[in-house]
Amino acid sequence: MFRILRQFHTYILYGLLSVIFIALFLIIEDVFTVFFPRVTDLFVLLIKALVIVTIYEPLRKLMEYLIRRSLFNYYFRRQEKIRQLDTRLYGGQDFKSMAETVTRGLRDILRVKQACLYAKRSDTLALISAAGAGELQVGRIRFDADFYEPRFTGRRVLDLREFERLQDGRTPAYSLDILMHEGNRYLIPLWHKNSLNAIVTLGPEMDERFALTGEDKKILWQSLQRVGHTLENGRLYGQLQKMILEKELVLGVAKKFNTAVHVDKLLDMIMDSIRSIVPYDAAGIFLVNEDTQEIESAVLRGYDPEVMDKLQMKVGMGLIGQAAKTGKIMVVKDVSFSEEYVEARPQTQSEVVIPICDNNNRVIGILNLESDRLGAYQEEHLDILTALAGEAAIAIRNARLHEEAVRTEELEKELEIAGKIQEAILSKKLPHVETLDISARSIPCRAVGGDFYDILRLNERQIAVCIGDVSGKGVPGAIMMSVLYTGYRSIVRDFPTTAETVSSLNQLLCTHTAVGTYATFFYAIIDFESLVVYYTNAGHNPPLVCKSTGEVIRMQRGGLVLGFLPEQDYRQMTQVIDPGDILVFYTDGVTEVFNEADEMFGDSRLQRVVEENRQRSAREIQEAVVEAVRQFAPDTEQQDDLTIVVIKIERE
C-alpha cells in the first residue's frame, strides 16, 4: 500500500497544499468581510497573491517533509542516509578502507544484494572493494574507455539492462556485460574534474518494496559524486604517503646495500629487504653469466635447491630467461596461462620478474618473486621493485668492483712474488772468461715476463748462450718460459750439437704445452779458444755479429719456432769470430718499439748504437742500447719484454 501511495505522493502533496490554500483564502475573505467591508475585491486578490508568494515554498517543503516522515518514513530516512554517505569518510582512513566503507554503506542503506567499487586504471577497471559479492568476482576488467565514457556523461544512475540501447548497435572493444553476469543491476559513474575515475555497481534490491525510484537515483548520483571526490583525494593522498614511505624504504635499503662488500652477503640482504615491502612465498636473485649465457641462482628463498639445479636455466628460457633476454618487466597474474612459465614449485600461481640492469642497460641479473595467490602482483608493485632492482644493480656492481680490487691486489702480490722467483731463476752471476766481456739484462713489461736468457760455462773452452721469447704475456707467458728454461737447463749438457738440443726442446714444448703456444729460441755454443760460434736459430730475432771491420753478420738460420710442429729438423750453423767483435743477442722488445709517430726502432738503429759505443765495455754498450730505446719512445709505455745480452771478444 505504501509503495502505491509513494508513487502518488506528489499528487497527495499538491492536493493537501490546495486544500490548505483554499482554507486560507476563505479565512481571508471572511476576515475582510467582517472587519474591512469597504475593501475592494482587487485588494483582497492582491493579499491572497502575496500570501501564496510568501508561504508557498516553505509550506511545500514542510508538507513534503511531514508526508515523508508520516507516510514514507523508511524512504525518507534512506534518502537522508544516502545524502550523508560522504560524512562516513574521514581523513584518517586509507583509500582501501574508504572504499569498503562506501560499498558496505550502500549495501546496507539500499538493501541491495551487492555493492562494488571499481577504480579506473588506464584501460581497465580494478576492483577495490566488494560488499556481498561472491569470491569469484573478477579483480580486473578490460574497459573500452573511448567507447563508454561519452555514454556515461548523463547525470543519472545507469541500468545495466539498458547497455544494449546505449551501445547503439555498435560493439565496444571490451564490453562491460560481465558486470551484469556477475549479478549487478545498476552502474553509477564517479567523475573527478570531468574525468571518469571510478564506477560503483549495485546488485538488484533484496525486496521489491525497496526498489529505487527516480528521486532515489537522483539523490544517489549526487551523493556518490561527493563520495567520488573524497575517494579520489584519499587515493592521491595515499599515493603520496606510499611514495614517501617507499622512498624512505629504498633509501634505507640503499644504505644497507652500500655497507655490503661481498656479493653473496649483499644478495641475502636484498631478499630480506624486499620481503618487508612486497610479500612473496618464493623468491630468487639470479645472475647472468655473459660468457656461457647461463642464468645462475645466486640466492634463493622458498625453492628446492635440487630442483633449481636441474633446471639449468639459460638466457631466453622461461620467464626469467625471457626477462634476461629482453630486459623487460614481466607480471603474470596466473602462471597456468603463461607459455613461458617453467614450473619450479607446484604451489606458484602468480609471478613477477624484474631485470637488474647496469648503467648500459645490460641485464646483469634477475629479481624473481612468486606467490601462491592468483594476481598477487599488480602494477603498483612495479615502481618499488624497479627502484630496488636499480639500487641492487649499483650495489652489485660496487661489490663486484670491490671483490675485483681485492683479487687484483692479491694477484699483484702473487705476481710480485712470481717475478722475484723468475728473476731468481734467470742467471744473475755470469761466467767469468778472461777473453770475453759479458753483460746481460732483462726488463719485463709486467710483473712477470716471457723473455729469458741463460749463459752457462760448459767446459774449459766453451760457454752456452741462449735467449728466447715465448708467445703471450703475463702469467701464461711466464709459465711457458719456466717450462722452456727448466727443460733447457736439464738437457743442455746431454747433446753435443746445438741442433740436437733445440730439437729436444721442441719435442718438450709440443708435448707439455697447449696447442697454439710457441717460443722463439736462439742457442749458441761459443768456443772462445778457437773463436767459433756454433748456433741454431729457432725463429728468433737474429743476433748480430758486429765485426771490428765494420761488417755486421746476422745469425738467422736454424729452423722453425719451438712448440709449433713436432719432429722438426734443425740445423747447426757455424760462425767464425775475431777479437774485437761484438755479439748482440736481443728480443723483439728492443727493435720492435714504436714511438708516437708510429716509427719502429729497428735493427739499423740498434746497429748504429752498438757501433757508436764500440770502444766501451759490454755493460756500457748494453746500457746505451736500453737508453736509446727509452729515448726513442719516451712518452710510450713499455710495449714488450726487453732482453739484451752483449758479449765482446777481447783482444789478447
Side-chain angles (χ1 to χ4, degrees), residues 373-523:
R373 295 185 299 108
L374 288 171
Y377 303 108
Q378 308 294 340
E379 279 72 11
E380 54 262 28
H381 294 129
L382 299 184
D383 290 340
I384 184 66
L385 290 176
T386 303
L388 288 173
E391 292 294 339
I394 296 172
I396 290 173
R397 183 189 63 187
N398 292 341
R400 283 179 169 176
L401 289 175
H402 179 269
E403 291 183 354
E404 184 67 25
V406 172
R407 286 196 298 268
T408 301
E409 185 178 355
E410 292 176 351
L411 179 61
E412 288 177 352
K413 291 180 179 178
E414 292 174 357
L415 288 176
E416 184 179 353
I417 296 172
K420 292 180 179 179
I421 295 173
Q422 187 181 55
E423 187 179 354
I425 291 175
L426 296 177
S427 58
K428 280 187 174 182
K429 188 176 181 180
L430 301 177
H432 174 68
V433 179
E434 290 184 358
T435 58
L436 300 178
D437 182 10
I438 304 172
S439 180
R441 187 177 182 186
S442 182
I443 306 173
C445 66
R446 301 182 184 178
V448 291
D451 287 2
F452 73 97
Y453 69 89
D454 187 53
I455 303 173
L456 176 68
R457 185 156 188 165
L458 296 177
N459 49 52
E460 294 298 324
R461 55 181 297 169
Q462 293 178 330
I463 63 171
V465 179
C466 75
I467 188 170
D469 185 1
V470 302
S471 61
K473 300 290 186 293
V475 175
I479 293 174
M480 187 176 178
M481 184 275 285
S482 299
V483 172
L484 180 59
Y485 180 79
T486 54
Y488 164 76
R489 272 289 182 144
S490 65
I491 65 171
V492 67
R493 299 179 188 276
D494 294 345
F495 300 99
T497 67
T498 59
E500 291 174 294
T501 301
V502 172
S503 179
S504 180
L505 283 175
N506 180 60
Q507 288 299 115
L508 174 68
L509 288 188
C510 288
T511 303
H512 297 289
T513 57
V515 177
T517 58
Y518 62 91
T520 64
F521 186 72
F522 181 90
Y523 175 49

Side-chain angles (χ1 to χ4, degrees), residues 316-384:
M317 170 185 170
L319 292 172
I320 295 175
Q322 283 294 321
K325 181 179 180 180
T326 63
K328 295 182 179 179
I329 298 171
M330 306 183 73
V331 180
V332 182
K333 307 296 179 59
D334 187 345
V335 295
S336 62
F337 290 99
S338 174
E339 296 180 357
E340 291 86 5
Y341 176 69
V342 176
E343 183 177 311
R345 54 192 300 275
Q347 308 96 312
T348 296
Q349 296 195 54
S350 58
E351 185 172 1
V352 60
V353 185
I354 308 290
I356 300 174
C357 302
D358 61 10
N359 291 338
N360 299 320
N361 287 326
R362 182 182 57 186
V363 179
I364 60 174
I366 300 294
L367 169 62
N368 183 65
L369 305 183
E370 298 186 18
S371 175
D372 298 344
R373 295 185 299 108
L374 288 171
Y377 303 108
Q378 308 294 340
E379 279 72 11
E380 54 262 28
H381 294 129
L382 299 184
D383 290 340
I384 184 66

Side-chain angles (χ1 to χ4, degrees), residues 284-304:
I285 292 180
F286 304 85
L287 301 180
V288 178
N289 189 319
E290 294 183 355
D291 297 330
T292 63
Q293 289 295 291
E294 293 183 350
I295 299 176
E296 304 165 352
S297 54
V299 58
L300 300 175
R301 297 282 194 277
Y303 294 106
D304 185 344

